[in-house]
Structures are given as structure tokens and as C-alpha cells.
Amino acid sequence: MLVRRRGGTPEQARERRQLGHDNALAFAQEIGLTRDYRNDPHAKKDVIDPAGDAHSLKSGTKKWQVFLYSRRRFETDDGFQALNGIGELLIHCIDTFPPSYEDYRRNPIASKERLRTPMREIKDRFQRKALLRAFLMKAFFNGGEVNYLTVLYDNVYHVFLNTEVVQVMGDAFEVVNSTSLGGNPPEQKVLFRVNGINACELEMRNDSAQHYQEIRFNAIVGRLMELLRTITPVSSYSEKVLVYGRAIRRFGHWDH
């Protein structure tokens, strides 16, 4: 059976990673850092600015992969374990699929039917706004260890403070499950919508053996940026860097 590769080829993945590194370097140099700027990508700290604050830098034009984690990450990360059962439910999602990708491909509908239960439970729990915001803080900012979401969009870097991003998203998001599509059962994803339009998606990756039994959390760039750019006021750090809302009081003052 031919399986469509939604994530692209390994070469395309390498190209995306290199582009991400190039964009992070360009941002670092724009704010006065050298080529050997500090970072810690494993902790989502793509650039550490002169004040010691960390930036998660996103630059995709259609989707951002916020995270792609296996069972072990949800088991060992205290942040996910502290999310009022969300970590366990994400593990439950993974365990609805057989250990072997070949076994899954023999009867994919059976796994997808089992997946409906934990996906529905995650959606139900995210009706609590406090829990939703806690998940978003973990997903985007590693539980607050990262200070800023910095987005290269329309050839400009947009800098947002972590707490303001989470507040705006948490207030705006309506959390629902996906409906039946293309012969698949419903409730295969948890969708985070703004005015009926998807802004983020939580789903199982089941399109390739390479990423089998992993959970992906994606952001839809255009819709999410439309939401984030409602944050005001807006200040220019430079021609290439705009700073939003409460980030203005904090970002860029290392020269004073």
C-alpha cells in the first residue's frame, strides 16, 4: 500500500531545519549578537538575547510544528505530567496504535476508532481555560522557560511576550474535535479554532514509519498571526523587528 508522506522527504526536512537556523542567525545579528550567539534548541531556546531572555523563533509560511513528541517525552517530562492528566491522555493516544507500523497499516481503522476516546477526553478537558492556557505555555514556551515567541512573517521579525501569547490564544480558542473526513472516523484531532477557523491542531502522526507513534502539535501560520497581531501597542526596535504589547517594556533595553 502506498502511503502519502505528509511531512516531506528527509532532504526537505533538512532544508527546513537549515532555513530555521539561517533565520535564527539573521535575527540574532539584527539584535546585535555575533554568529556564535547562545541557544538551546532542545529547550525551544532558538536565540538567547543580550538580556539573557530566550526566544522561540518560528518562520514557516503555512504551518509551524510546535512539537513532535514520542511516548517517552510525555512519560519523563514533569511539565506534561503536571497538566491534570493531559500527559497520560497523550500517552493513551499513542497506545491506541499497535507497536508495529506494519500492524497498523493492516487495519488502520481499528486504531483510529480506539483513538477517538482519548482525543475526545482531551478536548473535554481543554474546555477549562486554565488548563488550556497551561498546555499552551508548555507547548510553545516549555512551561515558561522561553520568554518570547518571535516570528519571521512578511520579512519582519515579530516579538511577543510568552504570557501575552498564551492569554490571547487561551481567550480566543474554541477547542473541538475533528469530524469525519475521507472515510476516516471522527475525533482524530483536537482542533483549536478562532471564529470557526483552525489555528492549531493536535494529532497523531501515522503517515510514515519514521514518525510512527508520535504526537504532533501544529500551528496554522496565517490564522495564528492574525490573532497575535491584535496585541497592542506595537513598537519598532528596528526596520526588521517589531515588538508587541507588554514585550515592549522588556525587550531591547540592554543598551540602557
Side-chain angles (χ1 to χ4, degrees), residues 106-123:
R106 291 189 190 100
N107 188 4
I109 295 299
S111 297
K112 292 178 179 181
E113 285 289 349
R114 290 191 295 268
L115 181 62
R116 297 176 64 181
T117 298
M119 282 291 186
R120 185 168 58 246
E121 179 66 19
I122 292 171
K123 179 265 297 182

Side-chain angles (χ1 to χ4, degrees), residues 4-10 12-13 16 205 207 211 216:
R4 182 167 57 95
R5 187 191 294 272
R6 290 186 296 167
T9 65
Q12 289 170 330
R16 287 195 297 270
R205 278 206 65 172
D207 52 295
H211 292 289
R216 175 169 54 193

Side-chain angles (χ1 to χ4, degrees):
M1 179 182 295
L2 179 64
V3 179
R4 182 167 57 95
R5 187 191 294 272
R6 290 186 296 167
T9 65
E11 292 76 16
Q12 289 170 330
R14 282 193 292 271
E15 289 174 2
R16 287 195 297 270
R17 286 194 295 270
Q18 185 59 52
L19 181 60
H21 296 325
D22 293 344
N23 290 333
L25 173 60
F27 173 70
Q29 293 179 318
E30 183 68 23
I31 62 175
L33 299 172
T34 61
R35 292 189 66 88
D36 60 347
Y37 64 92
R38 291 187 299 140
N39 68 347
D40 182 2
H42 293 293
K44 296 185 179 289
K45 299 178 180 180
D46 297 311
V47 175
I48 298 175
D49 68 27
D53 289 333
H55 297 251
S56 175
L57 196 142
K58 300 297 183 185
S59 56
T61 58
K62 294 182 180 179
K63 287 187 177 182
W64 306 324
Q65 182 173 280
V66 181
F67 68 66
L68 178 65
Y69 292 151
S70 67
R71 191 183 203 280
R72 177 168 175 77
R73 178 61 182 260
F74 299 119
E75 288 177 329
T76 60
D77 190 315
D78 289 344
F80 281 109
Q81 287 297 313
L83 283 174
N84 194 31
I86 295 298
E88 287 78 6
L89 283 169
L90 292 169
I91 292 170
H92 186 185
C93 288
I94 292 169
D95 288 347
T96 61
F97 287 72
S100 162
Y101 182 67
E102 290 73 21
D103 287 345
Y104 162 71
R105 291 307 308 165
R106 291 189 190 100
N107 188 4
I109 295 299
S111 297
K112 292 178 179 181
E113 285 289 349
R114 290 191 295 268
L115 181 62
R116 297 176 64 181
T117 298
M119 282 291 186
R120 185 168 58 246
E121 179 66 19
I122 292 171
K123 179 265 297 182
D124 289 344
R125 294 201 185 189
F126 281 158
Q127 305 311 307
R128 288 181 50 208
K129 289 291 189 178
L131 182 57
L132 171 60
R133 287 191 291 267
F135 170 78
L136 294 170
M137 181 63 79
K138 178 60 185 174
F140 279 87
F141 301 105
N142 202 31
E145 292 184 10
V146 177
N147 307 97
Y148 299 105
L149 175 64
T150 297
V151 182
L152 179 59
Y153 188 73
D154 289 342
N155 296 314
V156 173
Y157 291 96
H158 304 261
V159 180
F160 306 94
L161 188 65
N162 56 6
T163 53
E164 204 157 23
V165 168
V166 168
Q167 186 67 51
V168 168
M169 290 194 297
D171 289 346
F173 282 171
E174 175 194 10
V175 184
V176 300
N177 286 126
S178 58
T179 57
S180 180
L181 183 65
N184 286 312
E187 300 168 327
Q188 298 301 291
K189 299 182 182 183
V190 177
L191 305 175
F192 304 76
R193 290 181 168 172
V194 179
N195 296 326
I197 301 174
N198 294 354
C200 293
E201 302 173 334
L202 182 71
E203 64 178 345
M204 285 289 302
R205 278 206 65 172
N206 51 31
D207 52 295
S208 72
Q210 180 184 5
H211 292 289
Y212 181 61
Q213 287 193 315
E214 293 181 340
I215 293 183
R216 175 169 54 193
F217 184 48
N218 279 337
I220 314 301
V221 175
R223 190 67 190 101
L224 194 56
M225 281 301 294
E226 183 180 337
L227 175 64
L228 294 178
R229 291 173 78 179
T230 64
I231 296 173
T232 57
V234 184
S235 176
S236 295
Y237 171 81
S238 70
E239 289 185 0
K240 293 283 292 181
V241 179
L242 294 177
V243 188
Y244 290 74
R246 295 196 297 271
I248 295 169
R249 297 198 298 266
R250 179 167 176 167
F251 174 81
H253 299 295
W254 40 77
D255 294 329
H256 301 294

